[in-house]
Amino acid sequence: MIAAPAMPVAAAQLVNIGYALVGALMLLIAMAIAAVPLRRRAEAFIASTGLLVFIALLSLYLLGSGANLTVLSVFHLYAFSEFFVALFCVGLVLVNTLSYRYYSNYTGFLLFFAFAVVGMLIVPMANSLVTVLLGLELMAIPTSFMIVMGGKGHIEAAVKLFVLSAIAVGAFAFAIALMLPYEPGLGLYALTSSSGIGGNYLVLLAIILLIGAMGFEVAAFPFNLWIPDVYEGAPGSVTALLAGINKKVAFVALMEVLFIVFANYATQFALMLAFIAILTMFYGNLLAMVQTNVKRLFAYSSISQAGYILIGMAAATQLGIEASLFQITAHVFMIIGAFAIVLWLETQNIKSLDDYGSLASRNGFAAAALTILMLSMAGIPPLLGFFGKFLLFSSAVFGNLVYLAVIGIINSFISIYYYAKVIDRMYRGGKQKSALRIDSFTMAVVLVALIVVIVLGLYPQLLMSAASAASGALLSV
Amino acid sequence: MVFPIIGLSLLVSLVSALLIIVLNVRFSRLIAVAGSAAILAMLLALLAVDLPTGTLAVAESYPFVTAFNIGLDLNLNAITFTLSLMATIVALAAALAGNPEKAREKAANMLIMFFEFAALGIFASANFFIFFIFWDIGVVVLFFMINSLGSANRRYASMKFIIYEIFASSMLLLGIILIYFYTPVNSFNIQYIQAHAASIPLGTQEIIFVVMFIAFAVNMPLFPLHFWLPDAHTEASTQGSMLLSGVLTKFGAYGLLLLFTTLPIAGKFAIPVAILAGFSAVYAALVTMLQHDIKRVIAYTTIVDMGIILVAIAALNPFGEYGAVYGMLAHGITIALMFLVVGCMHHIFGERDMRIVKGVVAKATSTAYSFLLGTFGITGVPLTAGFIADVLIFIGAMQAFGVYGALPLIGLLIIGAFLYFVINKSFMLTNESSESIEYLGVSHKVGYALLLFFMFLFGILPSLLLGLVKL
């Protein structure tokens, strides 16, 4: 236990806080179920937001006090899981705020949302492979339903997501089955060296299946062909959820399994990840350059961001994981903020790059906010995205993967083209059109994202030390 | 010195920029002028205090990212002080003169103050990490300056600008990460790296040198990487061109100065770099002669002057080093004046093609004479700062390269001749004269006066700054 040795009372309190955290999750589901027949939108929204904030605060407190405890013998609360529970909860609050605006049947949405939330939060807290699998499944299926709730036009996207999630979860399950002879307990701990490192093709096959399975979810090449279609086809806030949270949950699952269970196979999987990272970055960035629909452009941009995040994991050092965590955090806020604006504009029937022309004169705030978020995605200092990329490229250099850093920097350079293209469109003058009024929910989400991107960009120390603690905890499990 | 002069200057510029955003457009110019004047006053006070002692060294440090041992480390020495002073003078002149195009004044003043923040930061930064951060802030600010304030073809020019510049900053980031990785105790601190760069393996030093050289050469700009400059300078608003040519190109030159004084391997590259720089100067001078747009002429002379400055940097001796710095000071002030003059001329006559504009002196006397005096500055006529700079530069270059060091003078001669030709054709001949469509505001004349004052001040009293160094 990492907690200060002189305070056993405090340690006992920490366990109670862990119970409170899990209890709040249960309460969230109960509340969502109760809200459906009661049909009280506003109350359900406030209650769910409150619970998510509560969970975030609890996990931040646990993170601050360095807690390392097991709750109900299935949830492992240590710095890594606390970091992600807090991050996901904040991101989910933002998505929840957007959803409240987009879904007329908000209580129905909330039911699926609550189940998905539980699945998302279970994944980082899991202490066995089965729990990870369960969490992933619990996340995927309600998400498909959320898409369907958008109406008839969205069924195709929902089916695509459903089928692909099913394949991913199936491959994950098969990977677990292959490991079974070497890991009877299915717990999240390192495979013992007796399982024959290097020569054991079954384990290598399991790693490949696992990376493939999670590759679907994290949008890594070549498993990411579905991403633009589903992002474009998903209704309102679900796009933000998919890009902002679902993808990151899959990253968490990938990290947990690779760096804990397959810790002894780091050289093998690092090479695979480096390879995938290179292809993913180029795929996302090059295709983003030719997009004319802004939502698809951001879909491809988020693919390339997944590539950057994989750089840190390919470095397979503590610095690398820290960098990945940093960039994941940055991307959660950047992409949710950006999609909040894109989705709001979509309801105003502004979709293509040409429609974005003269946005600055129609709504200066939205244009400025989108500009800052995109500059952050492109890695322009002093914004949050820059520090993520800086850490990632440094970790690649420190992990003796200079080529990966060079390719990452080249990609970062390519990406400025399409971000600058959007910025250029937005600040283009031309025919004066009517002003657009941004609604307060979107405004609030964008403001939070902006504040995080700017403040943590100017003062990255806080996030860096949290990410450092989390990555250290992951490696020392 | 306990007075936190650098931190305060940065704060003043940042706060002014934020105030301009928040407050009404009426106050924007006032705040920009007051902010940059306050910074200039602080810098001049520092000079007045330190000049008698003959040394200027201020160091400040504020915590930033403790995990990577990165502080907001700022220092001023004779070199960086000179450059900061130049940047502040140019920013003050730009804010004071105002925008001849009279468009989007609030945005223009905000961007000027943000750029002043970036420029002060980059010249004062004592570690490569914040150097990079300020670099990118400066680039992005000027992207918006071109993109939203420039003239008709500004979209194309700004995209070209940002693509070249982000390529440069990507290379710079790579170089910085490599330096950080290969120094014995991983550090971004420039002084520490200068002291310990010899322990970096030679092959790696070469890679770092080439990568960072490309980055700075794009910004500077140097011959095969200069294609963004004519468009960007021509399409930017007058204030944008002043900052772009006056200050932004000095980022690259200052970076090269740092690079040459940091890596021991630089000596090996000195002669190829000097040849490239000299060629770049002469080439740009020849291209200048093909231009008709006077703003484009001025833009190309920037490449000539920066090439000559790079020759001085590559000379790797004290005269070359300080000559380059003095050259940056002189060029920054003079070229800002030239762009202001050309911008005002465009405003007065609605045209800036030298084949069409005639007899400027008849309708806009101060503009025509300012152009003449600015040409004196660029060509290094005695009593202007450009003269002192050229003397130092060519002493340094000839110490290092012998007679060949004087060859870049060809470029200077060509643009000198061509500029006098332009003056003759468009400014001073009064037998036919274009119709003026606007009058020149007082503020523009004040801008001319400020820049001319400093141009002659540093030309007549070079000891003001040279007193701080031992040549």
Side-chain angles (χ1 to χ4, degrees), chain B residues 70-381:
Chain B
I70 302 163
L72 204 55
D73 302 326
L74 307 163
N75 68 13
L76 280 184
N77 52 33
I79 291 175
T80 53
F81 173 79
T82 309
L83 295 174
S84 307
L85 188 64
M86 181 273 291
T88 312
I89 292 170
V90 173
L92 176 62
L96 204 57
N99 202 343
E101 292 88 10
K102 291 207 170 59
R104 306 179 82 163
E105 205 178 326
K106 188 167 168 173
N109 284 314
M110 176 196 82
L111 291 172
I112 288 173
M113 288 323 282
F114 269 126
F115 188 74
E116 166 76 354
F117 173 70
L120 284 175
I122 200 165
F123 293 137
S125 54
N127 73 46
F128 272 122
F129 190 82
I130 60 169
F131 179 89
F132 178 76
I133 290 184
F134 285 117
W135 172 291
D136 262 22
I137 295 176
V139 166
V140 171
V141 168
L142 277 187
F143 167 73
F144 283 109
M145 196 107 192
I146 304 171
N147 189 287
S148 45
L149 300 167
S151 50
N153 204 8
R154 60 185 190 268
R155 308 286 163 189
Y156 170 73
S158 64
M159 286 300 276
K160 205 166 163 184
F161 169 77
I162 193 85
I163 287 171
Y164 270 86
E165 287 292 344
I166 294 294
F167 171 71
S169 76
S170 307
M171 290 293 118
L172 181 59
L173 180 62
L174 182 63
I176 288 173
I177 292 178
L178 287 175
I179 286 187
Y180 179 69
F181 180 63
Y182 281 105
T183 40
V185 177
N186 299 337
S187 168
F188 286 111
N189 189 295
I190 292 174
Q191 268 184 341
Y192 177 85
I193 293 170
Q194 280 172 339
H196 294 85
S199 59
I200 301 176
L202 283 184
T204 315
Q205 278 193 38
E206 285 180 14
I207 295 172
I208 295 174
F209 183 87
V210 170
V211 165
M212 292 180 81
F213 181 78
I214 292 173
F216 295 134
V218 169
N219 182 284
M220 190 157 178
L222 198 62
F223 160 59
L225 301 168
H226 68 276
F227 296 103
W228 62 270
L229 181 135
D231 285 322
H233 284 50
T234 316
E235 298 303 328
S237 65
T238 300
Q239 291 167 320
S241 307
M242 289 166 78
L243 297 179
L244 199 56
S245 183
V247 186
L248 184 89
T249 54
K250 310 302 177 288
F251 289 8
Y254 174 60
L256 281 168
L257 191 62
L258 278 183
L259 185 64
F260 269 90
T261 49
T262 301
L263 292 181
I265 195 89
K268 200 178 125 188
F269 288 97
I271 289 183
V273 168
I275 292 173
L276 184 62
F279 177 75
S280 174
V282 177
Y283 165 84
L286 293 174
V287 178
T288 310
M289 304 212 316
L290 299 174
Q291 308 304 320
H292 300 297
D293 183 341
I294 298 178
K295 201 168 179 186
R296 234 176 150 80
V297 170
I298 307 300
Y300 272 104
T301 66
T302 304
I303 308 179
V304 179
D305 274 342
M306 296 315 281
I308 289 170
I309 286 170
L310 182 54
V311 171
I313 293 172
L316 284 172
N317 52 29
F319 273 103
E321 185 185 1
Y322 207 72
V325 175
Y326 215 85
M328 288 185 235
L329 169 83
H331 179 255
I333 295 174
T334 316
I335 207 82
L337 173 70
M338 293 299 259
F339 274 113
L340 182 59
V341 167
V342 174
C344 292
M345 188 197 78
H346 186 202
H347 169 66
I348 297 169
F349 296 97
E351 184 57 61
R352 49 171 203 246
D353 191 319
M354 56 187 263
R355 291 167 301 187
I356 298 170
V357 179
K358 303 277 181 217
V360 174
V361 73
K363 294 280 161 50
T365 318
S366 61
T367 304
Y369 281 107
S370 298
F371 191 87
L372 183 67
L373 293 174
T375 307
F376 287 170
I378 285 188
T379 48
V381 169

Side-chain angles (χ1 to χ4, degrees), chain A residues 195-210:
Chain A
S195 54
I197 302 166
N200 194 324
Y201 295 108
L202 274 185
V203 173
L204 284 182
L205 185 59
I207 295 178
I208 292 171
L209 275 173
L210 179 87

Side-chain angles (χ1 to χ4, degrees), chain A residues 199-235:
Chain A
N200 194 324
Y201 295 108
L202 274 185
V203 173
L204 284 182
L205 185 59
I207 295 178
I208 292 171
L209 275 173
L210 179 87
I211 293 180
M214 290 302 100
F216 272 111
E217 308 256 345
V218 305
F221 185 83
F223 312 106
N224 52 15
L225 300 171
W226 60 280
I227 290 273
D229 293 341
V230 172
Y231 281 17
E232 196 191 356

Side-chain angles (χ1 to χ4, degrees), chain A residues 24-25 27-29 31-32 35 40-59 85-101 106-107 109-111 113-114 117 121 441 444-445 448:
Chain A
L25 269 184
L27 201 59
L28 182 67
I29 289 196
M31 191 276 300
R40 302 216 165 180
R41 274 170 62 89
E43 285 88 338
F45 171 66
I46 291 167
S48 56
T49 306
L51 279 171
L52 286 170
V53 171
F54 180 61
I55 297 172
L57 289 177
L58 287 184
S59 52
V85 168
L87 172 64
F88 290 158
C89 284
V90 177
L92 287 165
V93 168
L94 299 183
V95 174
N96 194 20
T97 312
L98 288 179
S99 308
Y100 182 69
R101 179 179 176 278
Y106 173 72
T107 49
F109 165 85
L110 189 62
L111 181 62
F113 184 70
V117 167
L121 299 187
F441 288 95
V445 170
V448 170

